């Protein structure tokens, strides 16, 4: 195909791409973002698929069967964890205006300049081979398509060099036209999303062409391929294709690559519009990977069938098959697809790297060496842009030199994997730093450097050696001739392939140092503050406020001057307006220290987006001074602590009170249950008591009715019993009624002047027969008694005495002794009724006065009673203003002691 | 909703790790390579993982909507 056709179509394609980017930027300026949807986000993540995927996967499949797949399965697996990991990274990057992965790591570990420089160097050196791969793919496929010879050419005739220059121009157009504090490039993202569509469609077109037009469908292709002896063994694991150990390590490093490759960080974190887009992308992006890989194996098999014996480089099958089949238009389309895959990667990666180089390497170096004059009022935004543009050109030239001087015919995939291992070194520092507050700067730095050193030794050194740049043969003999230090068999571990071997040693050493040193070193104050901002990013309530412990002060004019230098006058003015909207104040010289501190932090975060957090921190600290904590602030802090303590004490008290209430409620409940039981018992007793007299009354009346001829004497006897039983019944009912009245407080005593000894005498007469029946000895001292005058309801008091005496009789055994004693003690009359029965256990003494309650042994011995007698006693005595209690009598038995006031209250 | 979603996705991640690496894949070291079972298996598991992830995300989004309207 004529070179001018290829060149003009390629340039046309690039111009369309730029047109899309330009349109997206204009839409953004109008506030109608083109990229604010999850589909564009997922497509832009497709920048992962580079010329490596487009051309290299087929080459890899032709060599090792399914060996190309771990590179896509790893990201699929990692995508499942995006909601946890990537969302957190996006949140942090937005909170802290982080614009590159080097800045991310440096910020996490206390805005360390050393870390930001180390990260940048590792990334740039690590990614150079990857960019080189794209240049090589573009020039290589161009040569195939144009039919030129692939031999060594002079540097001026090298297509890769021209590709490099064209890409440099476009990268500057896309990524370094102007400075932006957020480093977001909507145009770039739109262009990358478009490129993802182009390369997918191109690859699928080739795949369909090969399967259904060159061959008769997949079954035909498979059958033809399986007849070939060499192809059968392609589709299993093993030394000839891909050993399972390599499968594992490739999956692992691809999992890290999808998160930590600078271009992936750029599109997935920095350019992220909304965290919600991650939810859709976490399955859409794997689906994209699935689609772009579905035809890899068929194309590889077709290529092997069409070009047996390795006459054609398998990395170019995507173009050579359509060419061979005479479809040069499809071959051109495939070339454009590959071009889009390569340019997408180069532009995004170089933009990301140039941001890093200027923000995290050049500016910190200039700031440190004092080359940036803070006093100068000159606008520095121009020089910042210049630094960006120069670094873009330098990075691309470095990549070109790799192709020109180091590449010795490596396959695309093996070059790319070298970069993957380099980027995987970020895993401990970033993942550890995201979830573990104890991760320390020294640990991260040591791990990174050790991992990088192993990477250089095990992967880069052999490459340099193959290129003939090193004299001695380290690969064979080991470093300094030590056999244990061979790059492909470090410490004698020789059975792994070079990539797995390098990944194993670098990641192991890196992780060990990261965790080991973090465990023994104590992070500083600024590190701790940043650790909290990162680890608790999804839980803002737990983030400790930055800088609140060490307020800084500065003249606001100085800060604004610095902002103008690095952001430009217009953007500074906008930032100040935003600050006023957010905090409601404008910074001026009279602002209090705390507010000034918040303004300084605001400015520092903003500057961090343009010149990197480490540089921003250095620049800002050149005009600020840390305030020692004033007495007032200390007092405020103490006051806050005191209030917190007081509050917690209040809470404690409340909970104690609650406990008490609970205990009381429990007790009350237990008492209610007890009373309920007593009531049941009472009901049983009362019905029993009522039934006994009723039964005998009924029995005798029936006898009298049925036997009219009964002797009058006998009938009289029966009638006497009936009368007695009726009286007993009515007494019982009266008691219950009395009880109810007492209970309601409705019973009124009929107080008259009366004599207590007279009342006692009546009571003794009424109960005398009970003692006689049980042959109990009853003694009293009524004869020697004074009249004991008092105001009382004589009937009620007599009832009290009758109750007490009959109780004593009931509970004493036959032949027992009962005594009644009346006397006066001080202001009181005392009545004591003593028996020699079994007595009342101490824990029941209060209880016996309760309504329906009966001493336990009374129930057991089935002594008849309603359980109301003593309750009535208590109520009546209370009505008379006296007390009643039960004690143990001297010789065992119970003594009821009633005390009644001689004069009622209010009585003269 | 968020914790359950993260846990469900983590569950899928573990399933993927299990099905796509040794020792499960070592079965294919012995299976006859010409049958094409290995690529079919790998692409099959891959597609299933994607479908499962899409389903999990969609379900969690719909339950979130429901709880919002409640």
């Amino acid at each position: 195909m004529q070179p001018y056709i290829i060149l003009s179509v390629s340039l046309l394609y690039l111009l369309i791409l730029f047109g899309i980017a330009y349109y997206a930027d204009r839409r953004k300026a109008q506030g109608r973002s083109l990229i604010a949807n999850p589909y564009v986000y997922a497509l832009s993540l497709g920048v992962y698929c580079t010329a490596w995927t487009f051309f290299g996967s087929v080459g890899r499949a032709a060599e090792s069967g399914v060996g190309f797949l771990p590179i896509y399965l790893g990201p699929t697996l990692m995508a499942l964890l995006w909601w946890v990991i990537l969302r957190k990274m996006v949140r942090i990057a937005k909170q802290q205006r982080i614009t590159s992965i080097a800045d991310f790591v440096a910020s996490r570990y206390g805005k360390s300049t050393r870390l930001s420089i180390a990260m940048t160097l590792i990334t740039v050196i690590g990614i150079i081979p990857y960019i080189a791969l794209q240049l090589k793919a573009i020039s290589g496929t161009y040569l195939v398509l144009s039919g030129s010879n692939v031999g060594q050419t002079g540097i001026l005739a090298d297509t890769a060099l021209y590709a490099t220059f064209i890409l440099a121009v476009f990268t500057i157009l896309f990524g370094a036209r102007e400075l932006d504090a957020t480093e977001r490039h909507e145009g770039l993202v739109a262009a990358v999303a478009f490129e993802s569509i182009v390369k997918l469609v191109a690859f699928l077109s080739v795949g369909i062409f090969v399967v259904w037009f060159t061959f008769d469908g997949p079954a035909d292709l498979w059958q033809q391929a399986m007849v070939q002896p060499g192809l059968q063994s392609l589709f299993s694991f093993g030394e000839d294709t891909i050993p399972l150990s390599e499968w594992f390590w490739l999956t692992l490093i691809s999992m890290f690559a999808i998160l930590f490759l600078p271009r992936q960080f750029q599109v997935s974190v920095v350019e992220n519009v909304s965290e919600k887009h991650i939810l859709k992308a976490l399955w859409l992006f794997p689906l994209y990977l699935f689609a772009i890989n579905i035809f890899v194996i068929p194309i590889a098999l077709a290529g092997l069938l069409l070009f047996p014996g390795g006459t054609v480089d398998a990395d170019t099958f995507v173009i050579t098959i359509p060419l061979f089949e005479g479809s040069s238009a499809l071959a051109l389309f495939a070339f454009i697809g590959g071009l889009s895959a390569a340019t997408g990667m180069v532009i995004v990666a170089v933009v990301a790297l140039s941001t890093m180089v200027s923000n995290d390497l050049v500016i910190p170096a200039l700031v440190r060496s004092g080359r940036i004059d803070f006093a100068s009022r000159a606008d520095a935004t121009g020089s910042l842009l210049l630094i960006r543009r120069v670094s873009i050109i330098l990075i691309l030239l470095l990549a070109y030199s790799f192709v020109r001087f180091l590449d010795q015919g490596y396959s695309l995939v093996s070059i790319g994997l070298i970069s993957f291992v380099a980027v995987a070194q970020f895993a401990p520092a970033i993942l550890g730093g995201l979830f573990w507050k104890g991760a320390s700067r020294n640990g991260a730095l040591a791990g990174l450097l050790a991992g990088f050193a192993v990477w250089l030794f095990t992967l880069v050194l052999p490459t340099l050696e193959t290129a003939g740049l090193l004299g001695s043969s380290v690969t064979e003999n080991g470093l300094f001739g030590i056999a244990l230090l061979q790059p492909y068999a470090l410490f004698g571990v020789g059975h792994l392939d070079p990539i797995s071997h390098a990944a194993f040693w670098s990641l192991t050493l890196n992780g060990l140092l990261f965790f080991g040193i973090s465990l023994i070193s104590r992070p500083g104050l600024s590190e701790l503050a940043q650790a909290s901002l990162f680890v608790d990013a999804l839980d803002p309530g737990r983030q400790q406020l930055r800088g609140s412990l060490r307020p800084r002060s500065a003249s606001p004019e100085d800060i604004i001057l610095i902002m103008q230098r690095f952001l430009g006058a217009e953007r500074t003015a906008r930032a100040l307006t935003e600050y006023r909207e957010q905090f409601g104040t404008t910074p001026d010289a009279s602002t209090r220290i705390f507010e000034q501190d918040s303004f300084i932090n605001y400015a520092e975060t903003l500057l961090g987006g343009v010149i990197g957090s480490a540089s921003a921190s250095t620049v800002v600290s050149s005009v600020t001074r840390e305030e020692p904590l004033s007495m007032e602030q200390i007092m405020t802090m103490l006051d806050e602590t005191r209030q917190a303590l007081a509050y917690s004490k209040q809470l404690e008290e409340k909970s104690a009170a609650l406990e008490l209430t609970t205990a009381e409620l429990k007790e009350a409940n237990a008492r209610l249950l007890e009373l309920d039981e007593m009531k049941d018992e009472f009901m049983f007793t009362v019905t029993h008591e009522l039934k006994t007299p009723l039964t005998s009354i009924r029995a005798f009346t029936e006898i009298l009715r049925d036997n009219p001829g009964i002797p009058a004497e006998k009938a009289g006897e029966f009638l006497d019993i009936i009368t007695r039983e009726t009286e007993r019944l009515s007494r019982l009912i009266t008691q219950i009624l009395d009880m109810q009245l007492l209970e309601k407080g409705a019973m009124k005593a009929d107080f008259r002047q009366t004599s207590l000894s007279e009342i006692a005498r009546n009571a003794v007469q009424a109960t005398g027969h009970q003692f006689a029946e049980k042959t109990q000895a009853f003694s009293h001292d009524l004869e020697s008694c004074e009249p004991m005058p008092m105001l009382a309801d004589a009937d009620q008091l007599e009832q009290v005495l009758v109750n007490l005496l009959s109780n004593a009789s009931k509970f004493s055994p036959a032949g027992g002794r009962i005594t009644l004693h009346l006397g006066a003690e001080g202001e009181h009359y005392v009545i004591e009724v003593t028996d020699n029965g079994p007595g009342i256990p101490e824990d029941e003494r209060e209880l016996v006065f309760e309504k329906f309650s009966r001493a336990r042994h009374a129930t057991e011995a089935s002594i008849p009673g309603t359980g109301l007698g003593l309750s009535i006693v208590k109520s009546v005595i209370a009505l008379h203003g006296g007390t009643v209690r039960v004690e143990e009598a001297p010789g065992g038995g119970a003594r009821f002691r009633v005390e009644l006031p001689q004069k009622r209250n209010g009585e003269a | 909703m968020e914790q359950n979603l993260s846990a469900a996705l983590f569950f899928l991640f573990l399933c993927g790790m299990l099905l796509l690496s040794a020792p499960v894949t070592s079965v294919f070291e012995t299976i006859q390579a010409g049958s094409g079972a290995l690529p079919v298996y790998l692409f099959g598991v891959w597609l299933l993982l994607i479908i499962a992830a899409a389903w999990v995300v969609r379900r969690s989004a719909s339950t979130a909507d429901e709880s919002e309207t409640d």
Side-chain angles (χ1 to χ4, degrees):
Chain A
M1 190 178 288
Q2 293 298 316
Y4 74 90
I5 300 178
I6 307 171
L7 284 177
S8 44
V9 170
S10 304
L11 271 178
L12 188 68
Y13 171 74
L14 287 175
L15 284 174
I16 290 173
L17 210 55
F18 184 70
I20 289 171
Y22 187 74
Y23 175 64
D25 276 338
R26 269 192 47 193
R27 285 279 297 256
K28 182 197 176 189
Q30 292 166 356
R32 296 184 299 147
S33 175
L34 201 61
I35 67 161
N37 72 71
Y39 300 99
V40 173
Y41 182 64
L43 279 175
S44 72
L45 294 174
V47 74
Y48 182 73
C49 299
T50 65
W52 165 351
T53 307
F54 200 86
F55 301 117
S57 280
V58 173
R60 176 91 172 169
E63 209 175 278
S64 65
V66 293
F68 68 100
L69 271 179
I71 308 307
Y72 309 97
L73 293 177
T76 300
L77 291 172
M78 184 49 90
L80 295 170
L81 302 182
W82 274 354
W83 191 237
V84 179
I85 298 174
L86 184 61
R87 185 168 57 119
K88 199 167 188 179
M89 290 168 73
V90 168
R91 182 80 58 92
I92 292 166
K94 282 192 182 146
Q95 278 174 354
Q96 311 214 20
R97 299 213 180 212
I98 284 167
T99 52
S100 72
I101 193 144
D103 208 8
F104 193 86
V105 173
S107 269
R108 164 62 182 84
Y109 297 101
K111 303 191 178 176
S112 154
T113 310
R114 264 187 300 171
L115 254 182
S116 84
I117 291 174
M119 280 291 294
T120 307
L121 286 176
I122 295 174
T123 320
V124 173
I125 297 172
I127 295 303
I128 294 284
Y130 205 168
I131 299 171
L133 178 168
Q134 316 300 326
L135 298 176
K136 176 182 163 151
I138 293 174
S139 69
T141 49
Y142 168 78
L143 291 178
V144 168
L145 194 59
S146 61
S148 319
N149 61 336
V150 195
Q152 188 75 304
T153 50
I155 195 163
L156 284 179
D158 193 346
T159 35
L161 183 64
Y162 296 107
T164 308
F165 280 124
I166 293 171
L167 281 175
V169 171
F170 271 89
T171 308
I172 290 170
L173 280 177
F174 279 116
R177 263 177 300 152
E178 54 181 345
L179 277 184
D180 183 78
T182 55
E183 278 305 325
R184 290 196 50 233
H185 314 82
E186 295 222 340
L188 183 67
V189 174
V192 165
F194 175 71
E195 293 205 295
S196 289
I197 298 173
V198 172
K199 65 195 175 199
L200 180 63
V201 172
F203 198 85
L204 291 179
S205 308
V206 174
I208 290 167
F209 174 80
V210 166
V211 172
W212 280 281
F213 293 86
T214 312
F215 291 86
D216 287 334
D220 173 49
L221 176 60
W222 184 260
Q223 271 160 15
Q224 288 198 34
M226 286 308 111
V227 181
Q228 304 286 323
L231 299 189
Q232 276 201 11
S233 56
L234 264 183
F235 297 100
S236 71
F237 293 109
E239 290 302 320
D240 297 335
T241 54
I242 177 167
L244 276 171
S245 59
E246 189 181 349
W247 178 271
F248 169 78
W249 285 104
L250 291 189
T251 310
L252 190 73
I253 60 174
S254 326
M255 282 169 65
F256 294 147
I258 194 66
L259 281 179
F260 306 141
L261 277 171
R263 68 172 192 282
Q264 296 305 137
F265 188 86
Q266 183 76 31
V267 290
S268 63
V269 177
V270 180
E271 309 283 358
N272 176 283
V273 179
S274 155
E275 284 175 20
K276 281 199 172 163
H277 293 174
I278 296 172
L279 268 185
K280 205 148 228 165
L282 69 82
W283 62 271
L284 266 178
F285 172 63
L287 192 63
Y288 182 89
L289 294 181
F290 183 87
I292 208 166
N293 276 296
I294 196 92
F295 283 117
V296 168
I297 291 176
I299 295 174
L301 288 178
L304 290 172
L305 284 172
L306 295 173
F307 313 111
T311 49
V312 172
D313 182 1
D315 278 352
T316 63
F317 279 172
V318 176
I319 287 177
T320 43
I321 294 176
L323 269 186
F324 181 76
E325 295 292 321
S327 174
S328 50
L330 183 62
L332 183 61
F333 186 35
F335 172 77
I336 293 296
L339 182 70
S340 76
T343 52
M345 183 276 171
V346 171
I347 291 172
V348 181
V350 174
V351 165
L353 286 181
S354 73
T355 309
M356 242 183 266
V357 168
S358 78
N359 285 3
D360 302 304
L361 190 69
V362 179
I363 296 174
L366 288 179
V367 167
R368 283 209 149 184
S369 65
R371 294 282 172 83
I372 290 187
D373 182 9
F374 302 119
S376 158
R377 303 202 164 200
D379 191 332
T381 50
S383 1
L384 289 180
L385 261 185
L386 188 68
I387 295 173
R388 292 274 171 95
R389 289 173 183 169
V390 171
S391 34
I392 286 175
I393 295 168
L394 281 179
I395 291 164
L396 280 167
L397 282 178
L398 275 174
Y400 172 72
S401 338
F402 184 94
V403 185
R404 182 80 193 172
F405 303 114
L406 292 182
D407 179 32
Q408 297 296 315
Y410 297 114
S411 73
L412 296 178
V413 171
S414 58
I415 300 175
L417 283 174
I418 296 178
S419 294
F420 268 33
V421 177
V423 167
Q425 304 309 320
F426 302 157
I430 293 181
L431 293 180
L434 275 179
F435 297 99
W436 181 37
K437 282 184 191 169
S440 81
R441 176 188 317 178
N442 292 340
L445 196 60
L448 274 174
L449 291 180
F452 184 60
V454 172
W455 175 77
L456 281 176
F457 182 68
T458 54
L459 287 177
V460 178
L461 191 76
T463 313
L464 296 177
E465 205 179 285
T466 322
L469 293 180
L470 294 176
S472 64
S473 178
V474 177
T475 314
E476 259 175 49
N477 305 326
L479 194 63
F480 313 124
I482 303 167
L484 282 181
L485 294 182
Q486 287 173 23
Y488 286 155
L490 197 58
F491 307 123
V493 179
H495 65 280
L496 289 171
D497 63 290
I499 294 293
S500 306
H501 173 263
F504 167 69
W505 278 117
S506 60
L507 285 175
T508 309
L509 220 63
N510 183 339
L512 282 177
L513 284 173
F514 170 74
F515 285 105
I517 294 186
S518 289
L519 282 173
I520 56 171
S521 66
R522 185 177 278 270
L525 202 63
S526 61
E527 260 182 278
L528 277 179
Q530 288 298 98
S532 161
L533 286 176
F534 273 62
V535 176
D536 296 328
L538 296 179
D539 188 3
R542 296 182 56 188
Q543 285 183 343
Q544 286 153 19
L545 273 180
R546 177 165 44 167
S548 62
L549 270 180
R550 275 199 199 165
R552 293 177 293 182
S553 75
S555 125
E557 285 87 36
D558 284 350
I559 301 285
I560 292 171
L561 261 182
I562 289 181
M563 287 168 75
Q564 281 167 344
R565 282 204 65 196
F566 293 102
L567 299 170
E570 182 200 338
R571 289 248 313 285
T572 305
R574 222 186 308 152
L576 287 177
T577 319
E578 270 172 30
Y579 179 82
R580 190 165 43 241
E581 278 165 10
Q582 204 175 332
F583 294 91
T585 55
T586 332
D588 58 54
S590 64
T591 343
R592 286 185 50 218
I593 289 165
F594 270 126
E595 286 160 18
Q596 264 185 24
D597 191 51
S598 91
F599 178 62
I600 293 168
N601 285 332
Y602 178 80
E604 189 180 319
T605 317
L606 206 62
L607 284 170
V610 183
I611 58 174
S613 61
S615 313
S617 168
T618 316
V619 170
V620 168
S621 65
S622 72
V623 296
T624 57
R625 63 195 167 87
E626 279 181 7
E627 290 286 323
L629 284 176
S630 72
M631 201 60 195
E632 186 195 349
Q633 286 154 10
I634 294 175
M635 290 317 286
T636 316
M637 281 181 190
L638 278 178
D639 197 42
E640 275 167 16
T641 320
R642 196 184 50 74
Q643 277 177 11
L645 275 176
Y647 184 61
S648 97
K649 202 170 172 202
Q650 273 178 17
L651 274 180
E652 240 170 67
E653 276 167 10
K654 268 189 190 156
S655 90
L658 267 179
E659 244 167 62
L660 203 71
T661 318
T662 316
E664 276 170 7
L665 276 174
K666 262 188 194 162
E667 210 173 284
N669 189 40
R671 217 176 129 58
L672 270 177
L673 284 176
E674 210 173 277
L675 282 175
D676 189 51
E677 212 172 286
M678 282 181 188
K679 193 201 73 193
D680 285 349
E681 215 169 277
F682 166 76
M683 287 305 291
F684 176 76
T685 321
V686 164
T687 41
H688 183 76
E689 288 290 307
L690 290 174
K691 202 167 175 196
T692 322
L694 267 178
T695 318
S696 51
I697 291 169
R698 191 176 158 196
F700 285 114
T701 35
E702 273 172 11
I703 293 174
L704 289 176
R705 187 191 64 198
D706 297 340
N707 304 293
I710 204 163
E713 187 190 336
K714 203 79 179 161
E717 206 175 301
F718 287 171
L719 284 172
D720 277 349
I721 295 174
I722 290 172
T723 315
R724 220 166 44 234
E725 291 299 323
T726 317
E727 276 167 2
R728 189 170 147 197
L729 255 183
S730 65
R731 211 166 47 237
L732 204 62
I733 289 166
T734 316
Q735 269 189 355
I736 295 173
L737 287 176
D738 280 358
M739 197 58 234
Q740 244 177 342
L741 286 174
L742 279 169
E743 197 58 18
K744 285 182 187 162
M747 191 159 105
K748 289 273 181 329
D750 184 12
F751 286 106
R752 285 161 199 274
Q753 193 64 39
T754 173
S755 150
L756 187 58
S757 55
E758 190 55 40
I759 295 171
R761 241 169 248 130
N762 291 342
V764 167
Q765 273 177 5
T767 48
H769 68 279
Q770 288 187 19
F771 301 119
E773 268 169 31
K774 286 182 86 175
T775 60
Q776 287 163 329
F778 176 62
S779 57
H780 55 82
D781 50 7
L782 293 181
E783 280 76 20
S784 57
C785 225
E786 300 288 315
M788 297 182 172
M790 69 178 292
L791 259 183
D793 184 318
D795 289 346
Q796 285 185 12
L797 275 190
E798 189 183 326
Q799 183 66 42
V800 163
L801 278 166
V802 167
N803 281 358
L804 286 177
L805 288 172
S806 62
N807 249 17
S809 163
K810 262 195 269 179
F811 288 98
S812 298
R817 276 183 295 104
I818 287 117
T819 52
L820 170 67
H821 162 74
L822 252 69
E825 277 176 21
E827 302 273 287
H828 291 90
Y829 295 124
V830 177
I831 309 169
E832 281 179 352
V833 177
T834 314
D835 62 45
N836 67 341
I840 299 172
E842 201 160 347
D843 57 332
E844 288 184 24
R845 283 181 193 160
E846 283 295 314
L847 221 56
V848 289
F849 293 105
E850 293 293 333
K851 198 165 44 149
F852 311 143
S853 145
R854 312 183 65 213
R856 201 180 304 127
H857 68 87
T859 323
E860 280 161 11
S862 49
I863 295 170
T866 56
L868 284 176
L870 284 176
S871 180
I872 292 171
V873 167
K874 194 184 177 188
S875 304
V876 171
I877 298 298
L879 207 62
H880 285 79
T883 56
V884 57
R885 65 173 189 274
V886 62
E887 311 163 333
E888 197 179 332
R895 168 184 287 167
F896 284 86
R897 183 184 165 90
V898 177
E899 287 180 15
L900 286 167
Q902 295 185 359
K903 292 188 173 158
R904 285 185 53 77
N905 284 345
E907 193 187 342
Chain B
M1 155 249 179
E2 260 182 31
Q3 276 193 347
N4 277 346
L5 174 61
S6 301
L9 290 170
F10 188 67
F11 173 77
L12 286 181
F13 169 78
L14 290 180
C15 290
M17 282 302 263
L18 182 77
L19 293 174
L20 293 175
S21 53
V24 171
T25 42
S26 66
V27 170
F28 292 94
E29 281 178 330
T30 53
I31 284 183
Q32 227 270 307
S35 67
L38 178 57
V40 169
Y41 170 78
L42 291 174
F43 276 94
V45 170
W46 193 0
L47 194 62
L48 280 180
L49 273 182
I50 296 169
I51 292 169
W55 181 75
V56 162
V57 169
R58 201 193 170 97
R59 201 194 54 166
S60 118
S62 63
T63 52
D65 287 347
E66 274 170 30
S67 60
E68 270 169 31
T69 52
D70 273 353

